[in-house]
Amino acid sequence: MLNDKTIAFLVAPEGVEQVELTEPWQAVKQAGATPRLISTKAGEIQAFNHLDKADRFPVDETIDEVLADDFEGLVLPGGVANPDLLRTVPSAVRFVKDFFEAGKPVAAICHAPWTLIEAGVVRGRKVTSWPSLRTDLRNAGADWEDREVVICTSGPNTLVTSRKPDDLKAFCQAAVDAFSG
């Protein structure tokens, strides 16, 4: 399905929820795509299982070495600290916004929509997220729904969002479908 496609996974140097990185990564890989781990710093990222340190993963490229044009889609995993840090890095926010401006699919889970808010890309879009982001998303102009996966095609691109790790099966399938075009 995704042969010859490269999918960016944008994460902060620490704080990403490990399962929200590894399960979508495996899903796009099994569908034939090449996943690439992008971060704000070179080296390795530190993943977490909720508040506990989990595994470390090697960074493929830093945000300053890539463009949205290098990829066919973007995955934004969650974790509380991960998107909170990403939304403070202008080059990361610009990278996310560039996917929307180019009409490329984006998939974001859990707390990741904080980065979407900072990029100014949720106004008028149907989304879901971890429940604590509901007010933030509504204040940014999004139409928030409490569903395991929301697929919004009413903007310049396909936007796939999910609430939490329990939604990963639906999220991964919807993301792969969106990336397949």
Side-chain angles (χ1 to χ4, degrees), residues 20-175:
E20 293 174 3
L21 169 64
T22 57
E23 286 197 23
W25 183 281
Q26 195 60 33
V28 300
K29 197 170 182 181
Q30 286 178 343
T34 301
R36 303 293 291 167
L37 189 60
I38 313 303
S39 190
T40 57
K41 293 183 181 173
E44 292 183 328
I45 62 109
Q46 175 66 63
F48 280 74
N49 292 324
H50 303 293
L51 300 175
D52 299 322
K53 285 186 178 181
D55 297 326
R56 298 183 68 79
F57 297 91
V59 172
D60 293 311
E61 287 109 4
T62 67
I63 195 68
D64 298 323
E65 299 171 319
V66 295
L67 301 169
D69 289 345
D70 299 333
F71 305 95
E72 283 74 36
L74 172 64
V75 175
L76 296 170
V80 178
N82 177 50
D84 195 45
L85 188 147
L86 287 176
R87 66 185 176 161
T88 67
V89 179
S91 56
V93 173
R94 179 78 241 169
F95 183 69
V96 170
K97 189 171 188 162
D98 287 347
F99 278 86
F100 285 78
E101 290 176 354
K104 295 182 179 191
V106 173
I109 187 167
C110 201
H111 288 79
W114 266 338
T115 309
L116 300 178
I117 291 168
E118 193 65 31
V121 296
V122 297
R123 183 165 302 284
R125 304 298 299 264
K126 288 186 184 290
V127 299
T128 194
S129 67
W130 185 255
S132 66
L133 276 68
R134 175 183 51 235
T135 301
D136 296 340
L137 284 159
R138 286 181 175 157
N139 287 343
D143 179 10
W144 189 87
E145 299 177 6
D146 186 14
R147 295 188 9 226
E148 73 175 351
V149 67
V150 173
I151 302 162
C152 180
T153 58
S154 65
N157 66 337
T158 299
L159 175 59
V160 176
T161 52
S162 282
R163 300 171 300 190
K164 56 190 174 185
D166 290 347
D167 301 335
L168 275 164
K169 184 176 180 181
F171 177 72
C172 290
Q173 184 61 58

